[in-house]
Amino acid sequence: MAAVGLKYKQDMPPKGGFSDINYKRNLPVRVKSGWTIMLGGLAAMSAGFYLVVSGNKERRQLYREKMIARLSLLPLLQAEQDRRVLRALKANVEAEAAIMENVPGWQAGESVYNTDRWIPPVPQQITPM
C-alpha cells in the first residue's frame, strides 16, 4: 500500500545542471622524449667504452713494464744460479775426492762423458751429498 497523503520532496538536479564529469586521463607532461633517452644511453655507453679502452692501454703498459723488469733481472738471476751450481759441483768434487781417496787411479771430478764439451749437470749432481 502506498502511503497516501505523504508529502515528500523529490531530488532534482541543481539549477543549471550538474558540472561535467572529468573522464579524460590526466597524465603528467613528458619530461624526456625517446630521443633524449637514446642520446643519454649512447653518451653513457661511449663514456664506458672510453674508460675500458684507456684501462686496457694502462694495463698493457704496466704488463710491458713488468716484462722489461723481468727481462732486465734475468742475467743477474742466471749468474746467481750459475754460481750456486759451480759451488755445489766443487763441493761434490771435494766430497768425491775424500770418499775415493783409497781407490788407486781414481781422479775426482773427471767427466763420465766421452767429450770435451760442457754438459749441464743433472739435478742429482747439484744437490749436496
Side-chain angles (χ1 to χ4, degrees):
M1 286 211 211
V4 181
L6 236 73
K7 292 197 176 199
Y8 63 92
K9 185 173 181 183
Q10 183 176 356
D11 254 348
M12 297 295 290
K15 289 186 182 177
F18 288 109
S19 61
D20 289 339
I21 298 175
N22 190 5
Y23 61 89
K24 294 183 181 178
R25 292 176 65 185
N26 188 13
L27 296 176
V29 179
R30 295 181 70 175
V31 178
K32 295 181 178 154
S33 66
W35 283 105
T36 309
I37 294 173
M38 290 286 283
L39 289 177
L42 183 65
M45 286 193 328
S46 299
F49 281 133
Y50 173 76
L51 291 175
V52 167
V53 168
S54 62
N56 285 343
K57 284 181 183 178
E58 183 177 354
R59 190 165 30 95
R60 276 196 304 268
Q61 184 179 3
L62 290 173
Y63 177 76
R64 189 176 305 121
E65 184 179 330
K66 186 193 323 184
M67 291 309 295
I68 289 172
R70 285 182 181 179
L71 290 174
S72 299
L73 286 176
L74 273 179
L76 175 67
L77 296 175
Q78 185 64 47
E80 286 180 0
Q81 175 70 13
D82 292 345
R83 289 180 64 204
R84 189 179 72 78
V85 167
L86 289 177
R87 251 189 251 121
L89 289 176
K90 183 179 177 186
N92 286 348
V93 168
E94 290 171 357
E96 181 185 356
I99 292 171
M100 303 298 284
E101 65 185 353
N102 296 332
V103 177
W106 185 269
Q107 292 181 349
E110 187 175 290
S111 177
V112 294
Y113 302 105
N114 190 17
T115 181
D116 293 334
R117 290 181 24 203
W118 164 256
I119 306 294
V122 294
Q124 289 82 9
Q125 289 177 309
I126 298 172
T127 57
M129 290 183 174

